[in-house]
Amino acid sequence: MINKIIIIGLGNMGKRHLQAGARLDYIEQIFCYDREPSALASVPAFCLEYGINDKTLSFTSDFIDVLGAITKDSLVIIATTAGGRAEMLGRVIAKTPGAIIAEKPLCQSGEEYEKILTASKARNVPVYLNFTRHAYPFYREIKNALKGAKNRQFKAVFPNGIALIGIHMFDLMTWLFDAKKYSFLDNNLQEQFETKRMGYFDFFGGITLKTGDDDTCVFSAVKGNDLFSIDISSSGKQFVIYESAGKLIASEGMNKIDITEIKTPFTSQVMDKVIDNIARGKAEIGLPDVFESHLAHKILFEYMRVHGLAGINIT
C-alpha cells in the first residue's frame, strides 16, 4: 500500500497536491523536490497558512535524492511544466514506484508520449493524468446519460489557449463519448502567443472533428474571449455547463429544462480521494491513465503538426 508521497515541483499545483496528501493519516512521509531553493523555502509558510502538519515533510533540490527515495510504496506526483517531463518520467518509471500522477499536457510531442506509454507498460507502473473532471459527480451523471445515445455533439468555447485549456476539453470529450478514434473536419490557427510563463507558448484557434459516424465536436479558443462554456447534446438531451458560474442547464425534449447548482472543486479538494483510491488499489481512481488519455493528446499533437507548431515549448 502507498505510504509515501514524492512531489516533484513545488509551485502552486505541487503545493495543492501536498495539501491533499497531508490529509491522509497513513502517509508516513511526503518528500518534496524542486530545483529552485526558493520554491522549497516557500513550503513551511504554505503549511502554516493551511494548517498542514509539516513534521512528515523532507526537502531536497537534488534530483538524485528523489530517485533514491522512490520505492514500490511511493506515489510520485510530477507537477512540473511539460518541457523535460518526458525524460523525467522515464527516469522515475525506471525506479518502479507504486504509481505516478502527472500534470498535463503530459509532454510536448507524440513521440515523447509513445515513449511514456511503452515505459509504463514495460515496468507495470500506472501513470495517471491530473484531469480531475473525471471525478466530478455531474460529469459522471452526464456520461451515464449519454450511453447508447446517437448524434452526440460536444462544443467547448474557452479562453487561454488550446494547449492549456483545450487538452482538458479533448480529454473530457473522449472520456464522455468513450471515443476510440477521431478525424479532423476543419481546423484553424488564429494566433500563437507567449503565456504568463516566459518562454512558454500557446495558441488561439479552432478544431472541428468527428469521433464516430454520428458524433461531432467543436473546440474554440478565441483571442479576447472570456467565455468558458461546454455544450453537450444528443438526440433529445442537452447539457450546458458554465463551470465558473457553477451552473448546469439540462434540457430534455421541448419543455423540460432544469437549472442546477454545480461545484467544481479545487485540486486539493479532489486529490486526497484520488490518492486514497490509488493507495487502496481501487479499480475506479477518478483520473485517466496515459492509455485512456492517449487520444486527447493525439488531437493536440496533430493540430500542432498541421500548423507547424511541433517543437514549440508548450506549458
Side-chain angles (χ1 to χ4, degrees), residues 133-150 152 172-178 232-235 237 239 248 252 284:
R133 285 177 176 83
H134 289 240
Y136 293 3
F138 64 91
Y139 279 126
R140 300 178 74 84
E141 292 173 8
I142 291 172
K143 181 175 173 64
N144 287 332
L146 292 172
K147 283 183 179 178
K150 301 293 185 181
R152 296 177 299 185
L172 178 62
M173 178 276 294
T174 55
W175 172 59
L176 290 176
F177 285 7
D178 291 314
I232 306 162
S233 64
S234 64
S235 300
K237 295 181 181 179
F239 306 91
L248 166 61
E252 186 170 355
E284 188 64 50

Side-chain angles (χ1 to χ4, degrees), residues 8 13-14 16-17 77-82 85 89 100-107 127-132 168 267 271 297 315:
I8 299 175
M13 192 59 71
R16 295 306 175 185
H17 288 298
I77 300 176
I78 301 180
T80 62
T81 52
R85 193 184 291 146
L89 271 164
I100 298 169
I101 297 173
E103 289 302 323
K104 64 287 161 195
L106 182 63
C107 53
V127 179
Y128 301 102
L129 284 86
N130 189 24
F131 290 117
T132 54
H168 288 265
T267 293
M271 202 52 60
H297 281 77
T315 185

Side-chain angles (χ1 to χ4, degrees), residues 56-67:
T56 63
L57 306 188
S58 57
F59 303 90
T60 186
S61 57
D62 188 340
F63 193 66
I64 298 300
D65 293 341
V66 174
L67 297 177

Side-chain angles (χ1 to χ4, degrees), residues 27-43:
I27 298 298
E28 299 172 3
Q29 182 185 19
I30 300 179
F31 195 93
C32 302
Y33 163 81
D34 201 293
R35 65 185 181 183
E36 298 294 337
S38 60
L40 294 176
S42 69
V43 173

Side-chain angles (χ1 to χ4, degrees), residues 164-305:
L164 180 64
I165 304 298
I167 188 64
H168 288 265
M169 298 298 98
F170 304 154
D171 180 83
L172 178 62
M173 178 276 294
T174 55
W175 172 59
L176 290 176
F177 285 7
D178 291 314
K180 307 300 180 189
K181 60 181 181 179
Y182 74 91
S183 59
F184 280 174
L185 299 176
D186 188 28
N187 62 88
N188 66 82
L189 173 66
Q190 182 185 13
E191 180 182 314
Q192 177 182 319
F193 64 93
E194 190 173 29
T195 70
K196 291 184 291 185
R197 289 193 180 106
M198 186 178 298
Y200 288 86
F201 298 88
D202 209 327
F203 17 89
F204 294 114
I207 299 172
T208 302
L209 57 81
K210 294 184 69 173
T211 62
D213 294 337
D214 303 311
D215 301 334
T216 305
C217 309
V218 180
F219 306 91
S220 299
V222 181
K223 183 179 180 180
N225 167 54
D226 292 328
L227 179 66
F228 192 168
S229 66
I230 302 168
D231 186 331
I232 306 162
S233 64
S234 64
S235 300
K237 295 181 181 179
Q238 182 181 30
F239 306 91
V240 183
I241 303 102
Y242 298 96
E243 291 184 353
S244 299
K247 301 291 184 183
L248 166 61
I249 303 173
S251 59
E252 186 170 355
M254 295 286 289
N255 302 311
K256 184 178 179 182
I257 298 177
D258 293 314
I259 302 176
T260 57
E261 302 284 336
I262 57 173
K263 292 184 179 181
T264 53
F266 297 115
T267 293
S268 60
Q269 297 170 316
V270 174
M271 202 52 60
D272 54 347
K273 180 62 175 176
V274 168
I275 294 171
D276 190 59
N277 290 340
I278 294 171
R280 298 182 186 280
K282 293 187 177 180
E284 188 64 50
I285 299 300
L287 297 178
D289 65 25
V290 285
F291 297 94
E292 293 165 320
S293 195
H294 192 191
L295 196 67
H297 281 77
K298 279 186 173 182
I299 294 170
L300 173 61
F301 295 139
E302 181 176 352
Y303 176 87
M304 291 173 63
R305 180 184 56 77

Side-chain angles (χ1 to χ4, degrees), residues 2 39 73 93 120 152 225 264 281 289 314:
I2 299 294
D73 298 325
I93 291 171
S120 174
R152 296 177 299 185
N225 167 54
T264 53
D289 65 25
I314 60 173

